Amino acid sequence: MPESQPPESHQQQPSGNDGGAAAGPTALVLGGARLADGRTVDVRLSGGRIEAVGTTGSLVPGPRLDLAGYLLLPAPAEPHAHCDTALTADIAGPVPYTAEDVQRRTTEAALLHLGHGATAVRTHVRIGGVHGLRSLEAVLEARHSLRGLIDLGAVAVPRVLTGAAGADGLAMLRDAVRMGASVLGGCPDLDPDPTGHAEAVLDLAARHGCAVDLHTDGDDPARLARLAAMAGGLRPGVTIGPCGGLARLPRDIAARVAERLAAAGVTVVCLPQGDCVGLEDRGEQGARVAGCAPVRLLRAAGVRVAAGSGALRDTVNPVGRGDPLEAAYLLASRGELGPAEAYDAVCARARAALGLPEVRVEAGFPAELLAVRGDGLAGVLSLAYSRVVVHDGRVVARTSAVREYCDSAAAVALDLPRQSRPSSPQPCQPPSRPPSRPADGDGQS
């Protein structure tokens, strides 16, 4: 198989793509990985990009990571996280919001997302109230400390932007732009004037050239139609989510709303594992019902749909995982999408929602990759235990899982990995040494 060549839009300086030229000093070869199309290849990384893709053993010797038994994929992204409130479900009493606490939670949550495979995360950060801009400042500090490991973007999310109470919120939103918030957000559903709230965010974003990412349940079709009318043509774009309320609308009404969102170029980020803290106050009215947006209906109308994780072990979901492969698994298991489309929702669609460049396992594209032990996409969505994460051309996280069975006649007959190998079956014992090989989709270091 000839090595792939970079497309013109990704073309860099000549890098010896004939498989025989000398690789750069920072080059790394990912060896023997399987691609989604079934090919087994070597992939050489250099300078933060994929330098070459060739048949196994065809690339220049050098630093090499053996990925035999792994499926190599473009890395997913997390388009809807709440890192400042993550990991608070078990806290007794009020959640602390000191700068140190928020920065620690944000850092730990971002690293959990990274370990699962997301090399870019967009986190929504509440501003205003007694905490002012302190949480945002702490998140931006965490972003700086994580540079080189993961791309962390912050969305400034005010509560109220209309009426007398909204003046402070607007002032803080302007300050958030100056501080470095990369996206403007908001919760129109929680404002006494939802349309005015959305209009204020869109107007400020248009003046500063910022992207917009709004929280909405999406259960009011008239409100969504007005949002679509206001959002049309705004650059760099408008994202809304989680829109679980759309699934509770009559199908014909939801379809008409979806057509308007598609015409306006609005992206919808669904949360297959349920709602998030951005809509938590709706629970006081008994109005919040956890659910996922109607992905199949939205896609049929031409809406760009990405999938995120939302809550990560906080008050809304004490068992949230922050795992993009789980989001894809849930979409596929519920029949909303096939495995390939489901992974696309957490990968290519999610990256596009974040304004990130496209990634393919081809020469010239960014070296943002995820290797998961398994033979095919459906298998890794089902049993995605062992993972290797590559960001900017280097391995930044690795998770290895090994399963062993106690000795039994069945284990012997099926040649399953066992904790020990005596001549006769014994009671289960803790493993005394690492197993010689992974089992059934699991991997080892």
Side-chain angles (χ1 to χ4, degrees), residues 18-409:
D18 60 356
T26 60
L28 171 67
V29 174
L30 307 179
R34 182 187 296 270
L35 301 184
D37 61 12
R39 291 178 294 155
T40 300
V41 299
D42 282 359
V43 178
R44 186 170 64 224
L45 314 177
S46 183
R49 288 191 172 265
I50 298 172
E51 188 178 60
V53 178
T55 52
T56 302
S58 66
L59 300 185
V60 174
R64 184 180 180 89
L65 176 63
D66 183 12
L67 291 182
Y70 282 77
L71 187 70
L72 186 62
L73 302 163
E78 175 52 67
H80 194 116
H82 288 272
C83 294
D84 61 323
T85 59
L87 310 171
T88 57
D90 295 329
I91 294 178
V95 174
Y97 280 95
T98 67
E100 293 77 13
D101 284 310
V102 173
Q103 185 172 350
R104 177 187 52 79
R105 288 198 298 265
T106 298
T107 301
E108 186 175 351
L111 291 175
L112 286 172
H113 285 293
L114 177 65
H116 289 313
T119 61
V121 172
R122 173 180 284 183
T123 183
H124 294 252
V125 187
R126 290 184 289 192
I127 63 173
V130 297
H131 305 301
L133 293 167
R134 291 200 303 269
S135 290
L136 178 61
E137 184 176 6
V139 169
L140 295 177
E141 284 293 328
R143 178 176 71 179
H144 179 75
S145 68
L146 290 166
R147 190 168 298 166
L149 288 176
I150 187 171
D151 292 330
L152 182 64
V155 185
V157 183
R159 297 182 65 80
V160 178
L161 292 178
T162 64
D168 286 344
L170 278 172
M172 285 197 178
L173 199 56
R174 296 188 190 99
D175 289 340
V177 174
R178 288 191 285 269
M179 285 174 61
S182 54
V183 187
L184 300 185
C187 300
D189 297 7
L190 305 181
D191 196 299
D193 180 3
T195 299
H197 184 108
E199 188 175 13
V201 176
L202 292 168
D203 178 67
L204 188 61
R207 285 190 275 120
H208 290 275
C210 296
V212 170
D213 197 330
L214 297 171
H215 282 76
T216 180
D217 186 54
D219 58 354
D220 187 328
R223 189 184 301 164
L224 280 183
R226 289 192 292 270
L227 174 61
M230 291 187 292
L234 184 70
R235 296 292 180 268
V238 175
T239 298
I240 62 174
C243 294
L246 268 175
R248 302 191 294 273
L249 296 176
R251 186 173 181 83
D252 59 334
I253 294 176
R256 287 197 294 271
V257 171
E259 290 171 356
R260 295 193 178 188
L261 294 174
V266 174
T267 297
V268 172
V269 173
C270 69
L271 302 180
Q273 75 172 13
D275 274 343
C276 61
V277 293
L279 298 173
E280 63 181 351
D281 286 0
R282 292 177 61 84
E284 297 175 1
Q285 307 165 8
R288 184 173 65 84
V289 179
C292 184
V295 174
R296 186 177 296 276
L297 180 148
L298 289 167
R299 283 172 57 97
V303 179
R304 295 188 290 264
V305 181
S309 299
L312 174 57
R313 305 213 303 267
D314 59 25
T315 56
V316 174
N317 186 347
V319 294
R321 293 183 182 176
D323 184 354
L325 295 194
E326 185 194 35
Y329 157 79
L330 291 170
L331 289 176
S333 65
R334 292 170 182 170
E336 288 284 356
L337 299 173
E341 294 171 319
Y343 189 76
D344 186 64
V346 301
C347 184
R349 301 277 178 165
R351 289 184 61 85
L354 271 55
L356 298 171
E358 180 184 13
V359 175
R360 299 180 192 171
V361 189
E362 299 177 14
F365 284 89
E368 303 290 321
L369 302 168
L370 170 63
V372 186
R373 179 168 285 282
D375 294 329
L377 195 52
V380 302
L381 292 186
S382 175
L383 293 170
Y385 297 129
S386 297
R387 310 183 191 187
V388 178
V389 186
V390 175
H391 171 54
D392 198 27
R394 70 187 186 105
V395 175
V396 291
R398 184 166 182 170
T399 302
S400 297
V402 176
R403 177 180 292 139
E404 294 180 306
Y405 299 89
C406 63
D407 291 306
S408 68

